[in-house]
């Protein structure tokens, strides 16, 4: 560890209970649909290049920064997607990040027919505490945006 650096975890998990059925929430959990519910995102476009990789998208944020993300995993059975950052403009200050959005149905109790949503990220060890805190804040904001998008109570 270099002098002056602040040790921090390189993994975060943010979660929320969204008062809407899983099917309604899961319907929006697609990389191409991020702009339809996440207020930080202004546009998402599919990237076609010579590598012929599938499920690669350029996400443009409202501050005009961009990140190219690639869907690494998708499970319609277990209701999750995992994606990684491929490149960004301006460039990222860390080597890599993998994020997962996972949804679970709440099947009993006072929140029955709601959805538990977990949005996690695992960063490379060169991500500093500012990056981690920013990611935490953006996920919390994104979860609130997702709840509004599905018309949660």
């Amino acid at each position: 560890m270099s002098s002056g650096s602040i040790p921090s975890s390189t993994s975060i998990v943010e979660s929320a209970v969204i008062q809407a059925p899983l099917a309604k929430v899961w319907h929006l959990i697609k990389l191409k649909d991020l702009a339809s519910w996440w207020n930080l995102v202004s546009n998402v476009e599919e990237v076609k290049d010579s590598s012929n990789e599938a499920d690669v998208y350029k996400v443009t944020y409202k501050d005009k920064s961009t990140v190219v993300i690639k869907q690494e995993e998708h499970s319609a059975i277990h209701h999750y997607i995992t994606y990684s950052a491929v490149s960004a403009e301006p460039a990222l200050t860390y080597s890599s990040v993998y994020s997962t959005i996972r949804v679970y149905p709440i099947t009993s109790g006072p929140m029955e027919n709601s959805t538990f949503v977990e949005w996690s990220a695992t960063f490379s060890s060169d991500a500093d505490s500012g990056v981690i805190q920013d990611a935490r804040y953006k996920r919390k904001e994104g979860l609130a945006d997702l709840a509004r998008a599905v018309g949660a109570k």
Side-chain angles (χ1 to χ4, degrees), residues 24-38:
K24 194 171 184 182
V25 177
W26 177 242
H27 177 72
L28 293 177
I29 307 299
K30 296 172 183 63
L31 296 179
K32 67 180 178 152
D33 293 336
L34 288 174
S36 73
W37 58 268
W38 194 8

Side-chain angles (χ1 to χ4, degrees), residues 7 26 49 56 59 67 69 80 84 86 90 103 117-118 127 129-130 140 148:
W26 177 242
D49 63 15
V56 178
V59 178
V67 64
I69 57 177
Y80 72 88
S84 63
V86 176
V103 298
V117 183
E118 178 183 271
S129 61
K140 283 182 179 185
R148 280 189 290 279

Side-chain angles (χ1 to χ4, degrees), residues 5-76:
S5 66
I6 298 170
S8 66
S9 172
T10 58
S11 295
I12 61 167
V13 177
E14 292 299 328
S15 61
V17 172
I18 296 180
Q19 294 183 37
L22 181 130
K24 194 171 184 182
V25 177
W26 177 242
H27 177 72
L28 293 177
I29 307 299
K30 296 172 183 63
L31 296 179
K32 67 180 178 152
D33 293 336
L34 288 174
S36 73
W37 58 268
W38 194 8
N39 287 333
L40 289 179
V41 176
S42 62
N43 189 47
V44 178
E45 59 188 272
E46 190 168 8
V47 174
K48 297 283 188 185
D49 63 15
S50 60
S51 67
N52 290 321
E53 288 282 343
D55 301 318
V56 178
Y57 298 91
K58 179 180 179 183
V59 178
T60 302
Y61 294 93
K62 291 191 175 166
D63 69 0
K64 307 296 185 216
S65 63
T66 62
V67 64
V68 175
I69 57 177
K70 178 179 185 258
Q71 183 170 286
E72 303 289 348
E73 292 182 283
H74 171 268
S75 176

Side-chain angles (χ1 to χ4, degrees), residues 1-9 125 127-130 132:
M1 177 170 61
S2 66
S3 65
S5 66
I6 298 170
S8 66
S9 172
S125 63
D128 66 25
S129 61
I132 304 302

Side-chain angles (χ1 to χ4, degrees), residues 122-141:
T122 303
F123 292 85
S124 54
S125 63
D126 56 347
D128 66 25
S129 61
V131 166
I132 304 302
Q133 289 308 313
D134 183 59
R136 183 178 307 282
Y137 171 78
K138 286 177 178 167
R139 279 161 179 73
K140 283 182 179 185
E141 189 175 73

